[in-house]
Amino acid sequence: MKQVQLLTPVAGRLIPLSAIQDPVFSQGMMGQGFGIEPSVGKIVAPVSGEVTMVADTLHAIGFKADNGLEVLVHLGIDTVEMGNQPPFKIQIKTGDHVEAGDPIGTMDIQAVAAAGKRTTVIIAVTNSADMVEKLDAHEGEIKAGVVGAVVDLKKEVMPASTAKPAKKSGNKYDDLAVEILENVGGAGNVKSVIHCITRVRFYLKDEQQANDDVIRNLQGVIDVAKAGGQYQVVIGPAVNDVYDAIINQLGPGFGDDEASTAAMEKEANRAAWKKMTPWQKVKHSFSSLIGVITGAMIPVIGLLAASGILKGVLALLTTFNVVSDKAPTYIIINAMGDSVFYFLPIFVGFTAAKKLGSDPVIMGIVGGVLTYPSIIALATGGKVTSHLLGMAINANFFGLPVHMASYTYSIFPMIAGAWLASKLEPWLKRVIPVVLRMIFVPLIEVVLISGVIILFIGPIITAFSGALAAGIMGIYKLSPAISGLIIGGFYQVLVIFGLHWAIIPIVVNDITTTGHSYINAIISATMVAQGGAVLAIALKTKVASVKELAWPATISAFCGVTEPAMYGINLKYGRAFVTASIGGAVGGFLTGLLNVNMWGFAGSIIGVTSFINPKGVDFSLFGFLIASVATIIVSFTLTYLFGFADADVKNVKVAPAKKHLGEQAA
């Protein structure tokens, strides 16, 4: 291999070598490398290899990496002068062997700063002249144990990545992880990995190294997709187990750490942006927006769906007078179902901050400010004094008239706030001394971000969100049936390209703004259609491997997750996706024609309670049942008759034979 990685030994802000306030290091006299202005004192090994030196004063540690690099970690500048009372605790000694990411000691950064010394931690490859062609460091905020720099070597060396070597264990998820990593180009081709509800999403250095056909034909893999700069391996319900196994194989620095991933890629994105054409910039910006929405919404989607189901059950109980809406039982269950919606700004602030690289806890606190009871009371009970740009002026701030909006159930203000924090936070950490950061960075961020959202961003976005919901409803009312036909027929096409993540926040906004969503009712029909099609295949096929995958995919689709059905069966065998889409168009048409409304987020068959009006059962529930039955009949019948035959299985391209999970070598 000719490219290896250096992990970051401490958390903080990574800076180029030239910015280090020491001419010996900044001029490269000790070799190529980078510096880190530390925010936390925990130290980890930057490479796997042997410890060749630990200074008597503990301020410097040398390593001989397994890949041949000789790496020096220098803790602070001029800290050798603190020899009588060294602010370091080092738990390794010369001759020890360490793995990249292993804890090796601590550094008291407050003590270093109090002694008037710079706390900068420096990493230098001391044999750069012999080994290093180029070293690219990822500037910005980072955490300890993540990839801090990629090193291009002058000559090939035996693979000895900072990632752990792949090992088969007999555990089916571990073995699948090994197979996937081998066929995405090895651990050395992986920059980072995240996952969603059904997919393991790789950021690869070179997608051309991945063997798509082999991966999609591994037992346990449904399909492969590429979108938004991600190499996506569709797994299905077992995605968490497979993801954990992959991270276990890769080791520290590769996992679902959106903050570090965002920081690592900022410099590369800036360089790539300069080379893009205007159209490429538009596509890149849209892809980035989808990526932010995906990262912010994925962790809460399941919670929204579960809460919607629970609220529907509660509506059913009150409709049939099983529980009174004044009873403590109602209050307790309602809190269980409503809390994720009520405190949505806190959750979205946290997840959006992780995606954008700002502090998740600080953004969670900002979300708490927006959902604070007295703020909500001010928004809902404040006296309207005037109107400005269609917004009611119901409060003032130091005499400045403002529109105080209600931010419970809101999404977009927090995403905008997290983006603003991602720009503000690095600047604050540059200008505020290390010893004061713990107090003043969160203080200033909470005050500024909360203030900007409440006074400026929030009212604008709230007005826009209301207009968006009204606009969607206006288009729908022009012809509910035609809207349903079009959306029902094509929505799952958006899922293929991951573009449905641009629609999901609009649906959530629709529900949180109006309390219901006609559009989500149509989307639900498309999930039922995919389930009906794959059910037909499950019953028709005589191929054991297809039947084995089709039954779980049917259940998954009827539970609102369509990827296993689409990627595992319907798309793979071509015509079935078309017949399923026709079923979705019919279901969407009937849903619109019957004016079916939806009060929850969970769709498909499992989301039946989402179609119960909290004020009492109305025709939406019966319309949902009628549309769902018709959707299943159409998609099932068309797929059974025209969409699939066992002969189709033979026509699917199969990768070269490999051992399946759990099989042993002969």
Side-chain angles (χ1 to χ4, degrees):
M1 59 187 298
K2 291 195 69 176
Q3 194 174 71
V4 295
Q5 297 166 332
L6 289 177
L7 299 194
T8 52
V10 293
R13 181 170 59 89
L14 193 149
I15 60 175
L17 205 65
S18 58
I20 294 172
Q21 302 297 307
D22 184 305
V24 173
F25 288 103
S26 63
Q27 295 177 25
M29 297 180 188
M30 296 296 293
Q32 297 187 49
F34 56 89
I36 299 174
E37 300 295 352
S39 57
V40 179
K42 178 184 176 182
I43 309 166
V44 302
V47 293
S48 297
E50 182 184 352
V51 179
T52 56
M53 181 271 294
V54 177
D56 292 339
T57 52
L58 308 180
H59 76 288
I61 309 166
F63 301 89
K64 177 64 178 291
D66 295 338
N67 53 39
L69 294 183
E70 295 176 6
V71 178
L72 173 67
V73 176
H74 196 281
L75 304 173
I77 296 175
D78 293 332
T79 48
V80 66
E81 298 170 5
M82 302 175 67
N84 293 333
Q85 294 181 317
F88 315 108
K89 293 181 180 178
I90 305 301
Q91 61 197 48
I92 54 173
K93 61 183 184 300
T94 302
D96 286 350
H97 190 278
V98 296
E99 293 292 328
D102 285 350
I104 59 173
T106 59
M107 171 184 180
D108 188 340
I109 53 180
Q110 283 77 20
V112 173
K117 309 298 183 184
R118 291 190 174 275
T119 59
T120 312
V121 174
I122 306 161
I123 297 84
V125 180
T126 55
N127 61 342
S128 292
D130 297 327
M131 294 285 294
V132 178
E133 184 72 38
K134 182 177 66 172
L135 185 148
D136 289 325
H138 305 298
E139 296 177 39
E141 295 298 321
I142 48 83
K143 293 191 176 182
V146 302
V147 179
V150 175
V151 181
D152 290 333
L153 303 177
K154 291 184 176 181
K155 58 184 178 181
E156 293 276 354
V157 299
M158 293 296 291
S161 156
T162 56
K164 296 176 182 178
K167 298 176 183 177
K168 288 203 173 183
S169 65
N171 176 287
K172 66 178 180 178
Y173 300 123
D174 290 341
D175 292 349
L176 178 56
V178 171
E179 296 271 22
I180 292 172
L181 287 173
E182 286 178 357
N183 288 287
V184 296
N189 194 38
V190 178
K191 290 194 289 188
S192 62
V193 192
I194 62 175
H195 76 90
C196 61
I197 296 174
T198 57
R199 312 179 193 191
V200 177
R201 299 167 178 252
F202 289 89
Y203 289 91
L204 300 179
K205 297 171 188 173
D206 181 8
E207 284 191 2
Q208 299 302 315
Q209 293 187 32
N211 192 329
D212 300 353
D213 290 332
V214 171
I215 294 173
R216 66 167 49 97
N217 283 283
L218 292 173
Q219 186 175 332
V221 172
I222 295 173
D223 202 0
V224 168
K226 301 174 185 179
Q230 299 171 344
Y231 188 88
Q232 304 172 5
V233 182
V234 185
I235 302 294
V239 66
N240 284 314
D241 298 301
V242 176
Y243 168 79
D244 289 343
I246 287 172
I247 293 303
N248 186 52
Q249 293 290 342
L250 286 171
F254 292 85
D256 190 0
D257 189 336
E258 298 290 355
S260 59
T261 299
M264 283 167 49
E265 295 182 350
K266 279 180 182 177
E267 199 64 34
N269 285 339
R270 280 197 290 266
W273 179 265
K274 295 177 182 178
K275 301 176 182 178
M276 291 180 185
T277 64
W279 176 239
Q280 287 174 326
K281 290 181 178 179
V282 171
K283 291 195 296 182
H284 177 78
S285 298
F286 181 73
S287 175
S288 298
L289 176 62
I290 296 297
V292 171
I293 293 173
T294 301
M297 293 303 297
I298 278 175
V300 298
I301 287 295
L303 290 170
L304 291 173
S307 298
I309 292 172
L310 189 57
K311 287 169 71 69
V313 170
L314 188 60
L316 199 60
L317 293 175
T318 55
T319 298
F320 291 99
N321 297 317
V322 178
V323 175
S324 166
D325 61 3
K326 302 294 189 299
T329 300
Y330 176 91
I331 294 172
I332 293 171
I333 298 177
N334 187 59
M336 294 176 184
D338 206 35
S339 62
V340 67
F341 290 97
Y342 193 87
F343 297 111
L344 194 57
I346 297 175
F347 306 133
V348 172
F350 188 92
T351 56
K354 285 187 69 178
K355 178 65 182 177
L356 289 164
S358 51
D359 190 312
V361 174
I362 292 177
M363 285 310 301
I365 296 299
V366 171
V369 172
L370 301 187
T371 55
Y372 195 72
S374 57
I375 296 291
I376 296 170
L378 192 60
T380 56
K383 183 179 178 181
V384 177
T385 58
S386 62
H387 287 79
L388 178 64
L389 300 177
M391 295 183 293
I393 304 302
N394 55 0
N396 70 82
F397 185 74
F398 286 109
L400 177 69
V402 297
H403 169 71
M404 184 64 67
S406 178
Y407 294 102
T408 58
Y409 295 72
S410 64
I411 295 172
F412 296 116
M414 291 307 300
I415 292 178
W419 177 84
L420 184 61
S422 72
K423 305 300 180 184
L424 175 64
E425 195 171 296
W427 180 80
L428 290 175
K429 289 183 177 179
R430 282 197 299 270
V431 300
I432 296 176
V434 174
V435 293
L436 301 177
R437 285 180 189 171
M438 182 177 294
I439 297 174
F440 286 96
V441 168
L443 171 64
I444 295 172
E445 273 198 70
V446 169
V447 170
L448 288 182
I449 303 299
S450 299
V452 169
I453 291 177
I454 290 173
L455 299 178
F456 303 106
I457 295 177
I460 294 171
I461 291 180
T462 300
F464 175 77
S465 297
L468 183 63
I472 292 172
M473 202 55 228
I475 295 171
Y476 173 83
K477 285 182 176 178
L478 288 175
S479 178
I482 298 301
S483 298
L485 180 72
I486 295 171
I487 296 171
F490 292 100
Y491 180 78
Q492 292 297 329
V493 176
L494 298 181
V495 176
I496 296 173
F497 297 101
L499 299 178
H500 63 301
W501 286 107
I503 306 299
I504 287 174
I506 296 175
V507 170
V508 176
N509 177 73
D510 197 13
I511 293 174
T512 57
T513 303
T514 65
H516 53 76
S517 175
Y518 290 95
I519 302 300
N520 204 31
I522 297 171
I523 292 172
S524 175
T526 71
M527 302 174 183
V528 175
Q530 293 293 326
V534 77
L535 175 63
I537 295 173
L539 292 172
K540 181 177 183 179
T541 185
K542 299 295 190 295
V543 180
S545 61
V546 176
K547 188 181 291 289
E548 181 182 327
L549 184 58
W551 280 113
T554 301
I555 295 171
S556 179
F558 286 150
C559 288
V561 179
T562 57
E563 280 91 342
M566 285 171 45
Y567 289 107
I569 302 292
N570 297 344
L571 272 172
K572 183 177 283 188
Y573 302 113
R575 300 189 309 278
F577 183 76
V578 176
T579 54
S581 297
I582 294 172
V586 171
F589 175 80
L590 290 174
T591 300
L593 184 67
L594 299 174
N595 287 312
V596 177
N597 205 349
M598 190 172 177
W599 287 267
F601 190 78
S604 197
I605 301 300
I606 199 174
V608 60
T609 59
S610 297
F611 294 85
I612 299 172
N613 190 332
K615 297 179 181 179
V617 174
D618 60 17
F619 189 75
S620 284
L621 175 61
F622 305 108
F624 160 74
L625 296 174
I626 292 169
S628 295
V629 170
T631 300
I632 291 174
I633 290 173
V634 172
S635 60
F636 180 95
T637 303
L638 290 178
T639 304
Y640 197 94
L641 296 177
F642 309 111
F644 176 82
D646 281 344
D648 295 335
V649 179
K650 299 177 182 178
N651 296 328
V652 175
K653 184 177 180 181
V654 178
K658 293 179 69 68
K659 289 183 293 182
H660 285 302
L661 302 180
E663 293 179 358
Q664 302 298 318

